[in-house]
Amino acid sequence: MSRITNMSYGKTSVPVMKVVRKEPAHEVWEFVVDVTAESPELERSYTEADNSPIVTTDTMKNLVNYLSFSHDFTSLEDLALDICRSLQKRYDHLQKWTVQIEGAGWERLAPGGAVHSISFARTGPEVSFTTAVVDGTKSSLRSGIRDLLVLKTTNSAFSDFFRDEFTTLPETRDRMLATSITAEWKVPPSEIDHAGINHSIREAILRVFSELKSESVQHLAYETASAVLESIEEVEEISLRLPNKHYFLVDLSPFGVDNRDTLYLPTTAPHGDIYLKLTR
Amino acid sequence: MSRITNMSYGKTSVPVMKVVRKEPAHEVWEFVVDVTAESPELERSYTEADNSPIVTTDTMKNLVNYLSFSHDFTSLEDLALDICRSLQKRYDHLQKWTVQIEGAGWERLAPGGAVHSISFARTGPEVSFTTAVVDGTKSSLRSGIRDLLVLKTTNSAFSDFFRDEFTTLPETRDRMLATSITAEWKVPPSEIDHAGINHSIREAILRVFSELKSESVQHLAYETASAVLESIEEVEEISLRLPNKHYFLVDLSPFGVDNRDTLYLPTTAPHGDIYLKLTR
Amino acid sequence: MSRITNMSYGKTSVPVMKVVRKEPAHEVWEFVVDVTAESPELERSYTEADNSPIVTTDTMKNLVNYLSFSHDFTSLEDLALDICRSLQKRYDHLQKWTVQIEGAGWERLAPGGAVHSISFARTGPEVSFTTAVVDGTKSSLRSGIRDLLVLKTTNSAFSDFFRDEFTTLPETRDRMLATSITAEWKVPPSEIDHAGINHSIREAILRVFSELKSESVQHLAYETASAVLESIEEVEEISLRLPNKHYFLVDLSPFGVDNRDTLYLPTTAPHGDIYLKLTR
Amino acid sequence: MSRITNMSYGKTSVPVMKVVRKEPAHEVWEFVVDVTAESPELERSYTEADNSPIVTTDTMKNLVNYLSFSHDFTSLEDLALDICRSLQKRYDHLQKWTVQIEGAGWERLAPGGAVHSISFARTGPEVSFTTAVVDGTKSSLRSGIRDLLVLKTTNSAFSDFFRDEFTTLPETRDRMLATSITAEWKVPPSEIDHAGINHSIREAILRVFSELKSESVQHLAYETASAVLESIEEVEEISLRLPNKHYFLVDLSPFGVDNRDTLYLPTTAPHGDIYLKLTR
């Protein structure tokens, strides 16, 4: 006899643009929403082709649109929590709901230095996201960023590592360090100042990246996570994924040139990948 | 005081092409390998900038290349298990190793019907993958496929679902059904006939997709998973992720035409997403 | 005084799925259409904000849908020509129309060897395309393929090339050769057997790729183009773009292994790029 | 008898990172280079498998690296011209060379407002590019930007266009306008202040986008191109490609809500596409 050990369903990638036509300047919120429902009540939809417990994913999309319109939110965190709780309240035969929102950055255009009230340019490649979960009477909230590409041209070392006959990597006390930061942090699922907290976390991450004399990406990850926990009290936990995007010195010696720390070959794959989760 | 609740590192996306120059026809194996190590021994590399336990990810890459060359493997499953066990044996201060391999499909060219011995064409978009894990004395193996895009033009219904005032989706007894199958199955971590098992599972999945009169994607997922568990005894567990890639009928009535089940608008986002894990 | 030296507009990427519900088996046609209009009549829409000559791109999309539905086409070439001519006839103040169609491949599922009548799997990564142009009383038609990835494990050399002090590439009489074929051919803009012609061209391309002992990608390009012109009389001209997707031998000598033509590093960038257009 | 009507070859996507370790702050230049050679001398490499005129694409890559290292350039335009002329001078049996460079944007990190001297974040999605061509004694230079995504929430209309029975688009005097700007301009192939010119052009483009009350994308394209030609005298010609990235109002009336210019569905395909080239 087989048994279901996991089941869920939902709507993925509902795209939304909201324009708030305020004075003196319009605001735009563009984001993509994923909704997922989980409940033992759904089992008969799988095993007996009984669709009666299924809230259609099209209905989920309708509610995402309706709530995005009617809720005068000031952060995607507030909206994600609202959608989550509205879904659970309305469809109370389904106990657990997860709502993830990814935001697209738009900044005001300022040609000639004058900030414009109705025109915007897309920023990137960095993406912000937030995930709200309600499960019965419990709820949680995590927010984060991904695709924040950064590099430093010095103040990064990697030496004194484990060696054996398969180790050909030379030690270095000075290398380029480049990574694409993914960070996710857990904060209280309430209407605190999410925009402010997110900004402070991002600043702390970039400050450690800029200032640390790093001995390894592991070292950087730990010092970064520690600095966030120390400086922003609302953060209960933070995880970091830091790929090591290698830049290799190009050998120009066949052409009579000594390429000392100047010309590098950017690479994508393969790359190192370092992960850490730190909890208060 | 903070504490580390999760840490891992490794090499991602090591690309490999192996040519086996056999008679009467060459074989090619192209794949990409991810290696991940986990161990409490790594903690001091994060917290104390002590790199002594770090096997460099470059060394991991070297071993992937060396083993891919020297192992006369007949499936990516065998290679993944071999890499995993070799890493653990060689670097026994690190207890848990995960090796994931994704294969790229190449099929022999047969211009004019004659199968050629040294030329190949890439197949796609379907991708095969396998993940071996060794953790102390335990080991496990999961294999799967993703991006297997399939559609059926009829024999799919969706009706009698939950309705409220946010439900605008009409019921239907006959619709297009398109999905991009991701399936992952657990099999014994040993040198059984992986190629044969994988083939049988894929055939079972496609047979149910083709033949079932589906009442929902949930129904399809359950019948598919059940058929795999019933027909291939080595499979201990299978999960399926089935996005519902909507094709919407185009309204041609403004142009005096009754578009009855003929012309559809293919869409990508948003889409439904149905998940199931079934265990023996 | 400035002057307009080029102007055009149109609708890009109109997605269409057409299901032909025939007995004994359904047919599916999935494709994406680009429409472009050019005419001196459009100048005032640019310079005087006079929209009266503008056929909206939304209208172009409506006509693409309408004609895709109502035309019982047997090739995308026939459909492209039909859309082009219909647009020009209907909107005769705009003299030049270009319609490009890219097809998505779907093949019938055959689980257990039995070909199924209503279920399909997507093929790839190869893409077929066709471009019809009507300009006043003239018309033309080009068809082609792209992203046809092929490789051969031997019978490819590259030697006796120009050398100077910046040349570090060794000569070789035996190397891997991999490319992603883009080919485009000109054929009469009429209802000839396009499917048959396209098939014959594709077979000729793959035959030369498989059989030629190639001295360079340039050599391969010329022999391929020549073979197509020689064997398919409807082809008036053919162009080939052949990137040289390098596979580099991995140096395993640090590990005591002689990697003779077995293990390669697949690369994407940088790559060589060879282009040829051959006219009858 | 067939004849070659076009032939070229080269190296595509040579990635380069150059770090200039200046005081008080380091500079980084990351870019990708494409090199293409054309010459009647190449014909025998195609037709006779005679490789003697072929400068290998690997050699081209070596020269790109060498010149990127040794040239103390201050713009990618200067570097592109230098590479082009060096190639033509060194390999004078090949008369025409094209060098395209695409730059990746990196801006200094400034955590807490303090600009940092050795750390950087990637900007995007906008990309800058430049294309230098030397052909015998003639040379030319074009620069540009692509993927500059912008939107305006009002001051865009589209009405009084051509209508027939296939036109279902309503007229509007106020709509969202979003586009992804591609612009390319021709400037003298000399060491003028390319960075300054490029900046002025970009500002002019964004100023017109922000301030114009647009009657159509065609209107916007013309006013933008005219403003550039009027205000920056070095520009000899400019082309603009402006996709019309549609945002559609979401119908919330089934849920009792009047969505007046607030909630939109972002779309990608299909989209309008407007092109203009304006010459002084």
Side-chain angles (χ1 to χ4, degrees):
Chain A
M1 273 302 293
S2 62
R3 66 185 196 286
I4 294 178
T5 50
N6 220 315
M7 60 187 160
S8 67
Y9 83 108
K11 198 71 161 186
T12 298
S13 296
V14 180
V16 179
M17 163 61 88
K18 182 173 185 177
V19 179
V20 184
R21 298 179 183 276
K22 283 204 259 198
E23 288 302 327
H26 289 186
E27 271 179 17
V28 292
W29 295 86
E30 185 164 353
F31 50 88
V32 173
V33 184
D34 295 353
V35 176
T36 308
E38 291 168 83
S39 170
E41 288 297 307
L42 292 166
E43 182 153 339
R44 65 184 188 275
S45 71
Y46 287 88
T47 59
E48 298 169 39
D50 172 357
N51 292 345
S52 63
I54 297 182
V55 176
T56 77
T57 66
D58 188 73
T59 302
M60 296 176 187
K61 181 201 71 182
N62 287 342
L63 259 155
V64 164
N65 279 326
Y66 175 80
L67 293 167
S68 297
F69 174 86
S70 56
H71 184 175
D72 190 19
F73 55 87
T74 59
S75 74
L76 296 180
E77 283 79 5
D78 290 347
L79 179 62
L81 284 167
D82 182 25
I83 296 174
C84 232
R85 287 170 177 153
S86 299
L87 284 162
Q88 195 201 42
K89 188 174 173 190
R90 176 171 286 275
Y91 308 115
D92 57 6
H93 64 292
L94 304 181
Q95 75 191 45
K96 182 176 177 186
W97 292 84
T98 302
V99 171
Q100 173 155 6
I101 306 184
E102 281 202 1
W106 289 100
E107 65 183 7
R108 290 181 196 290
L109 281 172
V115 178
H116 210 273
S117 60
I118 59 105
S119 66
F120 300 83
R122 187 71 167 270
T123 60
E126 184 181 351
V127 169
S128 299
F129 59 88
T130 187
T131 307
V133 181
V134 296
D135 185 0
T137 58
K138 291 178 294 182
S139 61
S140 68
L141 187 64
R142 288 170 194 274
S143 291
I145 49 178
R146 62 174 173 79
D147 294 338
L148 171 53
L149 271 70
V150 291
L151 70 81
K152 56 195 296 186
T153 53
T154 186
N155 292 342
S156 166
F158 190 48
S159 62
D160 302 308
F161 40 75
F162 187 97
R163 296 200 81 92
D164 72 351
E165 68 267 34
F166 280 97
T167 308
T168 53
L169 188 73
E171 310 215 336
T172 178
R173 296 304 303 157
D174 192 4
R175 62 173 182 176
M176 291 270 289
L177 179 61
T179 188
S180 171
I181 298 173
T182 299
E184 191 180 34
W185 45 86
K186 189 179 175 195
V187 287
S190 56
E191 292 203 12
I192 52 179
D193 175 18
H194 291 291
I197 292 167
N198 292 347
H199 179 75
S200 298
I201 294 169
R202 190 180 181 281
E203 290 279 287
I205 290 171
L206 295 179
R207 182 172 48 76
V208 175
F209 181 80
S210 295
E211 296 179 0
L212 182 70
K213 286 186 194 296
S214 129
E215 291 293 334
S216 67
V217 178
Q218 285 86 344
H219 179 214
L220 172 64
Y222 182 75
E223 295 298 323
T224 304
S226 296
V228 169
L229 288 186
E230 277 162 28
S231 59
I232 300 109
E233 62 182 7
E234 290 87 351
V235 179
E236 300 166 9
E237 185 179 274
I238 180 166
S239 69
L240 290 164
R241 181 168 299 281
L242 301 180
N244 189 352
K245 298 172 76 75
H246 310 299
Y247 283 76
F248 296 126
L249 265 181
V250 178
D251 180 10
L252 297 177
S253 64
F255 320 121
V257 167
D258 180 15
N259 174 23
R260 205 171 305 171
D261 297 343
T262 299
L263 204 80
Y264 297 84
L265 174 68
T267 67
T268 49
H271 60 83
D273 227 337
I274 283 76
Y275 180 76
L276 173 70
K277 185 185 283 187
L278 195 67
T279 303
R280 194 176 291 277
Chain B
M1 274 301 294
S2 62
R3 64 183 199 287
I4 294 179
T5 49
N6 221 314
M7 60 187 160
S8 66
Y9 83 108
K11 197 71 160 187
T12 298
S13 298
V14 179
V16 179
M17 163 61 88
K18 182 173 185 177
V19 179
V20 185
R21 297 178 184 278
K22 284 204 260 199
E23 291 300 329
H26 289 186
E27 270 180 17
V28 293
W29 295 86
E30 185 165 353
F31 49 89
V32 173
V33 184
D34 296 353
V35 176
T36 308
E38 292 167 83
S39 171
E41 289 297 307
L42 292 166
E43 181 153 340
R44 64 185 189 275
S45 70
Y46 287 88
T47 59
E48 299 168 38
D50 173 356
N51 292 343
S52 63
I54 297 182
V55 176
T56 78
T57 65
D58 189 72
T59 303
M60 296 175 186
K61 181 201 70 183
N62 287 341
L63 260 155
V64 164
N65 279 327
Y66 175 79
L67 293 167
S68 297
F69 174 85
S70 56
H71 184 175
D72 190 19
F73 56 87
T74 57
S75 71
L76 296 180
E77 283 79 5
D78 289 347
L79 180 62
L81 284 168
D82 182 24
I83 295 174
C84 233
R85 287 169 177 154
S86 299
L87 284 162
Q88 196 202 42
K89 189 174 173 190
R90 177 171 285 275
Y91 308 114
D92 57 7
H93 63 293
L94 303 181
Q95 74 191 45
K96 182 175 176 185
W97 291 85
T98 302
V99 171
Q100 173 154 9
I101 305 183
E102 280 202 1
W106 288 101
E107 65 183 7
R108 292 181 196 291
L109 282 173
V115 178
H116 210 272
S117 60
I118 58 104
S119 66
F120 300 83
R122 187 71 167 269
T123 60
E126 183 181 353
V127 170
S128 299
F129 59 88
T130 186
T131 308
V133 181
V134 296
D135 185 0
T137 58
K138 290 177 294 182
S139 61
S140 68
L141 187 63
R142 288 170 194 274
S143 291
I145 50 177
R146 62 175 174 78
D147 295 338
L148 171 53
L149 272 70
V150 291
L151 71 80
K152 56 194 296 186
T153 52
T154 185
N155 291 342
S156 166
F158 189 48
S159 62
D160 301 308
F161 41 76
F162 186 97
R163 296 199 82 91
D164 71 352
E165 68 268 34
F166 281 96
T167 308
T168 52
L169 187 75
E171 311 215 334
T172 176
R173 297 302 305 157
D174 191 4
R175 62 172 182 177
M176 292 268 288
L177 179 61
T179 189
S180 170
I181 299 174
T182 299
E184 191 181 34
W185 46 88
K186 190 179 176 195
V187 287
S190 58
E191 292 203 11
I192 51 179
D193 175 17
H194 291 293
I197 291 167
N198 292 347
H199 179 76
S200 298
I201 293 168
R202 189 179 181 282
E203 290 278 288
I205 290 170
L206 295 179
R207 183 173 46 76
V208 176
F209 181 81
S210 295
E211 296 179 0
L212 182 70
K213 288 187 193 294
S214 130
E215 292 292 335
S216 68
V217 178
Q218 285 86 342
H219 179 215
L220 172 64
Y222 182 75
E223 294 299 324
T224 303
S226 296
V228 170
L229 288 185
E230 277 162 28
S231 59
I232 300 111
E233 62 182 6
E234 290 87 351
V235 179
E236 300 165 10
E237 186 177 275
I238 181 168
S239 69
L240 289 164
R241 180 169 298 281
L242 301 180
N244 189 351
K245 299 172 76 75
H246 310 298
Y247 283 76
F248 295 126
L249 264 182
V250 178
D251 180 11
L252 297 176
S253 63
F255 320 121
V257 167
D258 180 16
N259 173 23
R260 205 171 306 174
D261 296 343
T262 298
L263 204 79
Y264 296 85
L265 174 68
T267 68
T268 50
H271 60 83
D273 226 337
I274 282 76
Y275 181 75
L276 173 70
K277 185 184 283 185
L278 196 65
T279 304
R280 195 176 290 278
Chain C
M1 273 303 293
S2 63
R3 65 184 198 287
I4 293 178
T5 50
N6 220 316
M7 60 187 160
S8 66
Y9 83 107
K11 197 70 161 187
T12 297
S13 297
V14 180
V16 179
M17 162 62 87
K18 182 173 185 177
V19 180
V20 184
R21 298 178 182 278
K22 285 204 257 198
E23 289 301 326
H26 289 187
E27 270 180 17
V28 293
W29 296 86
E30 185 165 353
F31 49 88
V32 173
V33 184
D34 296 352
V35 176
T36 307
E38 291 167 84
S39 170
E41 289 297 308
L42 292 165
E43 182 153 339
R44 65 184 188 276
S45 70
Y46 288 87
T47 59
E48 300 170 36
D50 172 357
N51 292 343
S52 64
I54 297 183
V55 177
T56 78
T57 66
D58 189 72
T59 302
M60 295 176 187
K61 181 201 70 181
N62 287 341
L63 259 154
V64 165
N65 279 326
Y66 176 80
L67 293 167
S68 297
F69 174 86
S70 56
H71 183 175
D72 189 20
F73 55 87
T74 58
S75 72
L76 296 180
E77 283 79 6
D78 290 347
L79 179 62
L81 284 167
D82 182 25
I83 296 174
C84 233
R85 287 170 177 153
S86 298
L87 284 161
Q88 195 201 41
K89 187 173 173 191
R90 177 171 285 274
Y91 308 114
D92 57 7
H93 63 293
L94 304 180
Q95 75 190 46
K96 182 176 176 186
W97 291 84
T98 302
V99 171
Q100 173 155 7
I101 305 183
E102 280 202 1
W106 288 100
E107 65 183 7
R108 291 183 196 289
L109 281 172
V115 179
H116 209 273
S117 60
I118 59 105
S119 66
F120 300 83
R122 187 72 167 268
T123 60
E126 183 181 354
V127 170
S128 299
F129 58 88
T130 186
T131 306
V133 181
V134 297
D135 185 0
T137 58
K138 290 178 295 182
S139 60
S140 68
L141 186 65
R142 289 170 195 273
S143 290
I145 50 178
R146 63 174 173 80
D147 295 337
L148 172 53
L149 271 70
V150 292
L151 70 80
K152 56 194 295 188
T153 53
T154 187
N155 292 342
S156 166
F158 189 50
S159 62
D160 302 307
F161 41 76
F162 187 97
R163 296 198 81 92
D164 71 352
E165 67 268 33
F166 281 97
T167 308
T168 53
L169 187 75
E171 310 215 333
T172 177
R173 297 301 306 156
D174 192 4
R175 62 173 182 176
M176 293 268 289
L177 179 62
T179 189
S180 171
I181 299 173
T182 300
E184 191 180 33
W185 46 87
K186 189 178 176 194
V187 286
S190 56
E191 293 202 10
I192 52 179
D193 174 18
H194 292 291
I197 291 167
N198 292 347
H199 179 76
S200 298
I201 293 169
R202 189 179 181 281
E203 290 279 287
I205 290 170
L206 295 179
R207 183 172 48 75
V208 176
F209 181 80
S210 295
E211 296 178 0
L212 182 70
K213 287 185 194 296
S214 130
E215 292 293 334
S216 68
V217 178
Q218 284 86 344
H219 178 214
L220 172 64
Y222 182 75
E223 294 300 324
T224 304
S226 296
V228 169
L229 288 186
E230 276 162 28
S231 59
I232 300 110
E233 63 181 6
E234 290 87 349
V235 179
E236 299 165 10
E237 184 178 274
I238 180 167
S239 69
L240 289 164
R241 180 168 299 280
L242 301 180
N244 188 351
K245 299 171 77 74
H246 311 299
Y247 283 77
F248 295 126
L249 264 181
V250 178
D251 179 10
L252 297 176
S253 64
F255 320 121
V257 167
D258 180 15
N259 174 23
R260 206 171 304 172
D261 296 343
T262 299
L263 204 79
Y264 297 84
L265 174 67
T267 68
T268 48
H271 60 82
D273 227 339
I274 282 76
Y275 180 76
L276 173 70
K277 186 184 283 185
L278 196 66
T279 304
R280 194 178 291 278
Chain D
M1 273 303 293
S2 61
R3 66 186 197 284
I4 294 179
T5 49
N6 220 315
M7 60 187 158
S8 66
Y9 83 108
K11 197 72 160 186
T12 298
S13 298
V14 180
V16 179
M17 163 62 87
K18 182 173 186 177
V19 179
V20 185
R21 298 178 183 277
K22 284 204 258 197
E23 289 300 328
H26 290 186
E27 271 180 15
V28 293
W29 295 86
E30 185 165 353
F31 49 88
V32 174
V33 184
D34 295 353
V35 176
T36 307
E38 292 167 83
S39 171
E41 289 297 307
L42 291 166
E43 181 153 340
R44 64 186 190 275
S45 70
Y46 287 88
T47 58
E48 298 169 39
D50 173 356
N51 292 344
S52 63
I54 297 183
V55 176
T56 77
T57 66
D58 189 73
T59 302
M60 296 175 186
K61 180 201 70 183
N62 288 341
L63 259 155
V64 165
N65 279 326
Y66 175 80
L67 293 167
S68 297
F69 174 86
S70 56
H71 185 176
D72 190 18
F73 54 87
T74 58
S75 73
L76 296 180
E77 282 78 5
D78 289 347
L79 180 61
L81 284 167
D82 182 25
I83 296 174
C84 232
R85 287 169 177 154
S86 298
L87 284 162
Q88 195 201 42
K89 188 173 172 190
R90 177 171 285 275
Y91 309 114
D92 58 6
H93 63 292
L94 304 181
Q95 74 191 46
K96 181 175 176 185
W97 291 84
T98 303
V99 171
Q100 172 154 7
I101 305 184
E102 280 203 0
W106 288 101
E107 65 184 6
R108 292 182 195 290
L109 281 173
V115 178
H116 210 272
S117 60
I118 59 104
S119 66
F120 300 82
R122 186 72 167 269
T123 59
E126 182 181 353
V127 169
S128 298
F129 59 87
T130 186
T131 306
V133 181
V134 296
D135 185 0
T137 58
K138 290 178 294 179
S139 60
S140 67
L141 187 64
R142 289 171 193 273
S143 291
I145 50 177
R146 61 174 173 79
D147 294 339
L148 171 53
L149 272 70
V150 291
L151 71 80
K152 56 194 297 186
T153 52
T154 186
N155 291 341
S156 166
F158 190 48
S159 62
D160 301 308
F161 41 75
F162 187 98
R163 296 198 81 92
D164 72 350
E165 68 268 34
F166 280 97
T167 307
T168 53
L169 187 75
E171 311 215 334
T172 176
R173 297 303 304 158
D174 191 5
R175 63 172 182 176
M176 292 270 288
L177 178 62
T179 188
S180 171
I181 299 174
T182 299
E184 192 180 33
W185 46 88
K186 189 177 177 195
V187 287
S190 57
E191 293 203 10
I192 52 178
D193 175 17
H194 291 290
I197 292 167
N198 292 346
H199 179 75
S200 298
I201 294 169
R202 190 180 180 281
E203 290 278 287
I205 290 170
L206 295 180
R207 183 173 48 75
V208 175
F209 181 80
S210 295
E211 296 178 0
L212 182 69
K213 287 187 193 296
S214 131
E215 291 293 335
S216 68
V217 178
Q218 284 86 343
H219 179 214
L220 172 63
Y222 182 75
E223 295 299 324
T224 304
S226 296
V228 169
L229 287 186
E230 277 162 27
S231 58
I232 300 111
E233 62 181 6
E234 291 86 351
V235 179
E236 301 165 9
E237 184 177 276
I238 180 167
S239 69
L240 289 163
R241 179 168 300 281
L242 301 179
N244 189 352
K245 299 171 76 73
H246 310 299
Y247 283 77
F248 295 127
L249 264 182
V250 178
D251 180 10
L252 297 176
S253 63
F255 319 121
V257 167
D258 180 15
N259 174 24
R260 204 170 306 171
D261 296 343
T262 298
L263 204 80
Y264 296 85
L265 173 68
T267 67
T268 49
H271 61 83
D273 226 338
I274 283 75
Y275 180 77
L276 172 71
K277 186 184 284 185
L278 196 67
T279 303
R280 196 177 290 278

